[in-house]
Amino acid sequence: MRFQPLSQLITLLVVLLLPSWGETAGKDVSLSYNGIELNAHFLKSPETAHKDVAFLMVHGTLAHNRMEMIASTQSLLEEAGWNSLAINLSLGISNRHGSYKCEHPHRHTHEEAVGEISAWVQWLKHQGIRKIVLLGHSRGGSQVAWYLTEQVDPVIRGAVLVAPSTWSMKKAMLSYKERFNGDLMTWLGKALLFSKQSVSRDALIQPPGFIYCKDAKVTPRSFVSYYKADPRKDTPNLLKHIAVPTLIAVGSEDRVVADLLPTLQSSKLSKNFKLSIIDGAGHFFPDLDGDTLAEEIVNFVDPLFTQ
């Protein structure tokens, strides 16, 4: 099965606001995309031997680009001589910073990340970057994988998926019941109905919960996006469509995506993939686990650009 390119459905409007690579090093940067402002943290290594190479980093669910896991990895990569751009997914909010507040109405979708990643790829190219490694953590890893199944931009030379998320309807139903004591299928049915009605599809509904947020206010479109059956939300299902060299880094003690490691170990990964199991690490790779993660990333990407 070959997924239809989402890029055919999304019109990118990218306006570059910053003039050059050198002037934006170590700074917050931004661009205009589909009527909202996106922002990111751009870090250039002064010691880099790869001036035209950069990581593009994507955070996880409702998180942000200065969360510890992203910020520390970006800093460690800079020390190792690698440039990077850590983006904030907008989640429907212009110039968003910090974690998404549960009490804020949810109007975002899982798949919108694909278009925003594409916009930042174009931004990096305008800064003189000719080779990009995509790096995503948790849901961000799954969104990077989705992007890689649909984009054929030759600047993408590799990917790093850090504890990428998995998905199944059965798991989603059990999690929804445990977390919110709610019937997911009942609310998904309501959301599907409302999302088809022009009067109601942008109105807010208030199910027992949404993602991590209890009693959240959410559009039917958003609820459907995160909870409908869609194999593109399951990272292991996407791997057979990814052509670039890819590192999958998993903590041996990860309980957030506990089914990821057994699934990968029972799968026959192609030679494009390297599975790195970081012993004792959980989902967020704090402290020394983060150092080990950064070392694994550097060891993986270095041969891609030194051959």
Side-chain angles (χ1 to χ4, degrees):
M1 177 175 65
R2 181 69 179 174
F3 298 131
Q4 292 298 315
L6 190 62
S7 57
Q8 293 180 359
L9 306 178
I10 297 177
T11 300
L12 296 178
L13 175 61
V14 179
V15 178
L16 301 177
L17 300 179
L18 292 161
S20 73
W21 169 265
E23 294 175 11
T24 60
K27 302 285 187 179
D28 285 343
V29 297
S30 62
L31 62 82
S32 178
Y33 168 81
N34 285 357
I36 62 175
E37 184 181 356
L38 305 181
N39 63 70
H41 189 71
F42 186 48
L43 186 58
K44 179 183 177 183
S45 174
E47 305 299 329
T48 184
H50 307 288
K51 296 183 183 300
D52 64 344
V53 182
F55 284 84
L56 195 165
M57 306 172 67
V58 186
H59 59 75
T61 306
L62 303 185
H64 59 99
N65 67 349
R66 305 322 296 151
M67 65 179 290
E68 181 181 352
M69 184 270 159
I70 296 293
S72 63
T73 302
Q74 188 175 30
S75 178
L76 289 167
L77 289 175
E78 184 268 336
E79 291 177 10
W82 296 92
N83 307 312
S84 62
L85 179 78
I87 71 172
N88 268 328
L89 296 174
S90 72
L91 303 180
I93 297 176
S94 188
N95 197 29
R96 186 182 73 86
H97 291 275
S99 296
Y100 196 100
K101 293 181 172 55
C102 279
E103 61 269 23
H104 195 285
H106 296 263
R107 303 180 185 277
H108 50 90
T109 67
H110 174 86
E111 58 269 23
E112 284 170 343
V114 176
E116 295 188 14
I117 292 169
S118 182
W120 283 114
V121 167
Q122 298 306 313
W123 187 92
L124 280 171
K125 288 164 67 174
H126 279 274
Q127 309 309 307
I129 295 300
R130 296 292 174 262
K131 302 165 189 174
I132 295 173
V133 177
L134 297 176
L135 186 156
H137 173 244
S138 196
R139 184 183 294 274
S142 179
Q143 290 163 325
V144 163
W146 186 333
Y147 170 90
L148 288 169
T149 68
E150 299 183 344
Q151 305 294 326
V152 292
D153 198 313
V155 301
I156 308 300
R157 300 299 181 87
V160 179
L161 309 179
V162 182
S165 61
T166 59
W167 191 90
S168 73
M169 181 57 79
K170 180 179 179 181
K171 186 174 74 169
M173 291 171 62
L174 290 173
S175 175
Y176 200 84
K177 181 67 175 178
E178 292 173 359
R179 187 184 295 270
F180 303 119
N181 193 29
D183 181 7
L184 175 60
M185 298 310 294
T186 296
W187 279 97
L188 183 57
K190 291 179 181 179
L192 282 166
L193 179 63
F194 291 148
S195 65
K196 295 176 181 178
Q197 300 173 357
S198 59
V199 176
S200 304
R201 62 188 177 190
D202 293 323
L204 296 171
I205 59 175
Q206 191 165 4
F210 177 67
I211 308 178
Y212 302 141
C213 302
K214 187 177 181 181
D215 298 323
K217 295 179 180 179
V218 55
T219 64
R221 174 174 168 266
S222 293
F223 196 92
V224 170
S225 170
Y226 283 92
Y227 288 113
K228 69 180 178 181
D230 190 331
R232 293 172 294 182
K233 291 186 290 190
D234 182 47
T235 304
N237 183 67
L238 295 170
L239 298 182
K240 57 184 174 289
H241 302 289
I242 296 175
V244 298
T246 301
L247 171 68
I248 307 173
V250 184
S252 67
E253 304 305 312
D254 192 333
R255 298 294 176 258
V256 177
V257 286
D259 58 334
L260 175 63
L261 186 54
T263 299
L264 294 175
Q265 289 176 321
S266 64
S267 303
K268 187 175 181 180
L269 296 175
S270 75
K271 63 181 181 180
N272 279 338
F273 294 91
K274 177 184 177 182
L275 175 61
S276 175
I277 303 171
I278 299 180
D279 189 46
H283 191 64
F284 294 99
F285 300 87
D287 305 323
L288 293 178
D289 292 334
D291 293 344
T292 303
L293 172 63
E295 184 178 357
E296 288 291 300
I297 294 170
V298 169
N299 289 340
F300 175 75
V301 299
D302 190 60
L304 300 180
F305 304 106
T306 55
Q307 293 177 351

